[in-house]
Amino acid sequence: MQQQNKLASFETAVLPHLDAAYNLARWLTRNDADAEDVVQEAYLRAFRFFGGFHGEDGRAWLLGIVRNTTYTWMQHNRSPQLSMQLDDELHEAKSDDLNPEALLLQKADAQMLRQAVEELPLEFREVLVLRELNEMSYKQIAAVADLPLGTVMSRLARARKRLQQILASHAKTEVLS
């Protein structure tokens, strides 16, 4: 009976965040199959250590486990990606109309944005995905990433600047082509 209560509590606190967990793992690993493996392992770890969860923010708690599981997985499979380069960059994508031409341009912009985000170093990609796609607060990101709040803010600013430069570079390359 106690195991059933644990399972029910786990499902209530953690299962609703499956999409956010996959989203984070997918952006960090850059691969659907790897992200699925990481999320599966993260959920197993979360269930195993659910006794340490005391009803705080289940989403932040789970994403912290997903993040750590992803880094562990990447250390064993892709260690060179864990190095960070700290130069600054940034750009912005726009699209308002819903006519066929605008939709085609919007799709191209979305693809360019996705590619640019994937080019970011892992540490920048991580905070950007947590903030912009998972809509987490700086404080939640700091808890998930186990970083000081100032570091989160700095990385996010650098990630946005670098993203802008990557997108500007891609746009310039397209114009010259």
Side-chain angles (χ1 to χ4, degrees):
M1 185 58 94
Q2 188 178 8
Q3 187 71 4
Q4 283 181 325
N5 288 342
K6 178 182 177 184
L7 181 58
S9 296
F10 178 80
E11 288 176 352
T12 302
V14 179
L15 220 48
H17 309 296
L18 181 61
D19 289 341
Y22 175 79
N23 190 35
L24 177 60
R26 169 60 185 91
W27 279 103
L28 294 179
T29 63
R30 300 182 199 162
N31 181 285
D32 292 334
D34 293 343
E36 289 171 5
D37 290 346
V38 165
V39 169
Q40 183 176 10
E41 177 63 27
Y43 266 82
L44 288 172
R45 288 181 185 183
F47 186 71
R48 193 175 312 129
F49 298 106
F50 192 64
F53 177 73
H54 300 294
E56 59 270 5
D57 185 358
R59 184 169 162 225
W61 182 76
L62 174 66
L63 292 180
I65 294 171
V66 170
R67 176 196 182 267
N68 293 337
T69 303
T70 303
Y71 276 93
T72 300
W73 182 88
M74 291 180 78
Q75 284 176 336
H76 290 98
N77 295 288
R78 305 185 204 161
S79 59
Q81 287 192 4
L82 292 178
S83 61
M84 178 174 55
Q85 304 161 0
L86 289 177
D87 42 347
D88 301 338
E89 309 167 31
L90 191 80
H91 176 263
E92 185 178 309
K94 296 179 183 177
S95 180
D96 298 324
D97 299 332
L98 295 179
N99 65 46
E101 181 181 3
L103 288 173
L104 184 62
L105 290 172
Q106 184 179 23
K107 185 176 180 180
D109 287 348
Q111 179 60 34
M112 187 186 316
L113 179 60
R114 166 173 265 128
Q115 182 182 355
V117 169
E118 289 188 358
E119 289 179 28
L120 290 172
L122 183 60
E123 292 81 1
F124 292 164
R125 201 168 59 241
E126 172 184 59
V127 294
L128 191 70
V129 167
L130 289 171
R131 177 71 182 147
E132 303 303 337
L133 301 180
N134 288 329
E135 299 176 347
M136 297 184 85
S137 69
Y138 293 167
K139 186 177 179 180
Q140 289 172 317
I141 295 168
V144 168
D146 193 26
L147 295 169
L149 191 59
T151 302
V152 169
M153 294 166 60
S154 173
R155 282 190 186 175
L156 191 55
R158 288 180 174 168
R160 287 174 175 153
K161 190 170 184 182
R162 178 169 291 184
L163 183 61
Q164 181 182 20
Q165 287 184 334
I166 291 170
L167 288 168
S169 173
H170 285 241
K172 188 176 182 179
T173 303
E174 273 191 20
V175 169
L176 296 176
S177 298

